[in-house]
Amino acid sequence: MAHRRCPSRDLLRGGSACGPAKPAPWHLGFALLLAGAVSCSAASAADYTGPLFDAHLHYNNEACTHDTPAPGCPHPMADVLDRMQRNGVRAIVANSRPNDGTRALATAREQTRKAGVTVVPFVRLYRDRADYNNWFRDPTIVEMVNAELQRGTPAGPYRGLGEFHLYDSANANGPVAKQLMALAEEKDLAILAHVDDVAIDLLMANTPSKGRKSLLIWAHTGIGGSSVARVDELFARYPRLIGELSYRPGLTCGDGQLCPDWRALLLKYPDRFMIGSDTWINQRWQYYDELMKGYRAWLGGLPADVARRIAWDNGAKLFGVPTPTP
Ligand SMILES: [Zn+2]
């Protein structure tokens, strides 16, 4: 029921359209309540309708095993591009395990052009699942990364490294983690890191500028639920730390709109957040429409210029993606 969603929605939007300002006589109460419900529904935010930049997309082996016939390929190129197109996703940070899926997206120039999707390729650090737990100390990962960087893609040079995971933040000091953080800063590559807040400090300390110049996209902005105050502190410390918002606990409240503390943080740093699908398993492809609808709903509750920045401009600026024509 629309009117039941109204008070919290209205509160989150910072408006005051709901309900009478003063106590009403009892016989007017019901009428005012109804009127309030109607005006609240009418005042509800419309969903954001502009372009989306999916800053955390995987096209992994199991989405489409390229060397097997159709039944083994649940999400072939045409399928994933269709999902992006029908959701108004006009650019993606593409990465995959192994890097074949990214290469496939970056090579399908005609198909991606037709779908209106710009591919921003990142080098994933994983050849297989075993690499998740060992990449930070495995020198063959550096070799693989350097070979990929040198090779580039038909969609242009790689623009970042990741996503990588650190399940134990101390591994941010692994020899390969240190090497890759320094390399990324030297080559101005973005980092896409699924780590906790402690690892953010450790990773940044491993760069030549101590994090002043490093472009680090924090996958999920702390999937373990780092507090808003802690995220704020890290954003203040590292000027190019960006928060990607998939799976972020506590981001939205019961009505699918931003919770008040997160709304305040996004308004404080409108240039520092991006949205992402994180299609790490095939199920996320199946729910791609719902994921993007969910983003459009809470983006619609923000001031239009802030919504546009988080949805599109921030990613487009970072990677020089031209504004799409509708
Ligand atoms: Zn991911």
Side-chain angles (χ1 to χ4, degrees):
M1 287 164 65
H3 69 272
R4 290 192 61 203
R5 295 173 57 181
C6 180
S8 56
R9 249 198 159 189
D10 195 60
L11 182 71
L12 291 167
R13 295 180 60 226
S16 56
C18 293
K22 293 178 195 162
W26 70 269
H27 59 278
L28 288 178
F30 186 63
L32 280 169
L33 185 67
L34 284 177
V38 171
S39 75
C40 287
S41 296
S44 288
D47 289 356
Y48 167 80
T49 55
L52 294 174
F53 192 118
D54 184 345
H56 184 160
L57 180 139
H58 305 288
Y59 193 30
N60 287 335
N61 213 26
E62 60 273 15
C64 186
T65 308
H66 300 279
D67 54 358
T68 57
C73 187
H75 299 291
M77 184 67 62
D79 174 80
V80 295
L81 288 177
D82 184 47
R83 286 169 200 270
M84 293 172 213
Q85 189 173 15
R86 71 189 185 224
N87 285 288
V89 171
R90 305 301 299 269
I92 54 170
V93 160
N95 72 108
S96 61
R97 162 186 43 75
N99 284 303
D100 302 11
T102 303
R103 299 202 68 84
L105 283 163
T107 304
R109 304 291 288 150
E110 187 56 26
Q111 279 171 285
T112 50
R113 193 191 57 76
K114 268 193 193 149
V117 175
T118 298
V119 177
V120 178
F122 276 31
V123 183
R124 194 100 197 252
L125 309 188
Y126 306 148
R127 296 156 299 197
D128 52 43
R129 286 198 180 274
D131 285 336
Y132 282 58
N133 297 305
N134 207 42
W135 68 269
F136 43 84
R137 58 175 154 238
D138 181 349
T140 66
I141 298 293
V142 184
E143 287 168 28
M144 187 262 286
V145 166
N146 280 324
E148 280 299 320
L149 289 177
Q150 212 156 30
R151 198 173 164 204
T153 82
Y158 284 104
R159 307 298 304 275
L161 306 181
E163 180 191 24
F164 64 69
H165 300 72
L166 288 173
Y167 301 114
D168 177 352
S169 41
N171 289 326
N173 287 328
V176 168
K178 283 186 173 177
Q179 217 176 327
L180 291 179
M181 287 305 294
L183 176 84
E185 188 176 299
E186 188 188 307
K187 293 188 179 293
D188 201 25
L189 295 166
I191 291 283
L192 177 58
H194 173 132
V195 298
D196 66 10
D197 58 311
V198 175
I200 293 288
D201 278 325
L202 296 175
L203 288 170
M204 292 297 203
N206 288 330
T207 65
S209 74
K210 305 293 172 213
R212 298 296 304 167
K213 293 185 188 156
S214 289
L215 173 56
L216 195 155
I217 303 170
W218 188 5
H220 322 299
T221 321
I223 204 164
S226 303
S227 70
V228 166
R230 177 67 172 142
V231 175
D232 190 350
E233 183 193 329
L234 290 169
F235 271 37
R237 190 173 306 157
Y238 305 113
R240 299 183 79 204
L241 178 63
I242 306 285
E244 181 276 316
L245 293 166
S246 62
Y247 282 110
R248 169 60 226 199
L251 181 71
T252 54
C253 282
D255 59 357
Q257 292 292 301
L258 292 168
C259 298
D261 52 350
W262 275 94
R263 180 182 164 84
L265 193 69
L266 267 58
L267 290 174
K268 184 172 179 183
Y269 297 103
D271 299 325
R272 306 279 293 277
F273 287 100
M274 295 198 282
I275 61 110
S277 59
D278 191 13
T279 45
W280 67 288
I281 46 173
N282 286 346
Q283 193 193 39
R284 297 284 284 186
W285 281 117
Q286 286 150 30
Y287 288 97
Y288 198 85
D289 295 356
E290 285 75 7
L291 286 168
M292 294 305 141
K293 281 194 185 95
Y295 281 128
R296 288 188 181 282
W298 67 247
L299 284 165
L302 286 167
D305 64 317
V306 175
R308 168 82 187 201
R309 283 192 256 181
I310 293 169
W312 175 261
D313 292 349
N314 294 343
K317 261 190 212 158
L318 277 180
F319 300 110
V321 177
T323 303
T325 44

